[in-house]
Amino acid sequence: MTTNHLELSGKILRCRRFKSPAGIEHTVIQLEHKSQRFDAELPRNVYCVLQVVLSGERFESVTDELKAGVDIQVSGFLTLQQSRNGQSRLVLHAENVELKI
């Protein structure tokens, strides 16, 4: 059995919306995560920026509130996405999104 699940919280840096040629609504978020974890019994500052994709009608109720500066928690699965210029990057496809108020 394989597992692919990630839960991450952070602040939205950028957000854009578009409709695919198949008519599916997509919201693409650039999520900035900052935290501190312990690694080898020493504190370690953690920082990452990850692209998050929300696809389909189930996210319509929350997409209007997704703007730069908003804190969210998102969970979903990771996949490799290849851009038009051939570069690959890791992307989180959201299964659940919660606003952190």
Side-chain angles (χ1 to χ4, degrees):
M1 181 175 166
T2 60
T3 301
N4 182 348
H5 181 81
L6 177 70
E7 191 169 328
L8 194 66
S9 62
K11 187 175 296 294
I12 297 173
L13 295 177
R14 283 196 293 267
C15 184
R16 68 181 175 91
R17 294 172 183 82
F18 67 95
K19 189 178 279 195
S20 72
I24 298 171
E25 295 284 342
H26 298 280
T27 301
V28 178
I29 294 169
Q30 191 171 32
L31 184 66
E32 177 186 52
H33 169 84
K34 296 178 185 177
S35 64
Q36 190 173 75
R37 305 291 301 202
F38 279 87
D39 186 19
E41 300 174 21
L42 295 170
R44 177 183 182 137
N45 290 325
V46 178
Y47 178 81
C48 66
V49 176
L50 185 63
Q51 182 171 301
V52 179
V53 178
L54 291 73
S55 300
E57 296 176 1
R58 65 183 169 159
F59 295 110
E60 281 182 12
S61 62
V62 72
T63 54
D64 286 342
E65 299 180 55
L66 300 176
K67 298 175 176 59
V70 172
D71 289 315
I72 63 170
Q73 182 164 329
V74 61
S75 62
F77 61 92
L78 292 172
T79 189
L80 202 58
Q81 184 180 68
Q82 192 168 9
S83 66
R84 291 183 184 143
N85 65 6
Q87 291 185 328
S88 296
R89 66 176 157 203
L90 206 53
V91 174
L92 176 61
H93 279 264
E95 295 174 317
N96 189 50
V97 175
E98 295 177 27
L99 297 172
K100 302 309 254 178
I101 301 172

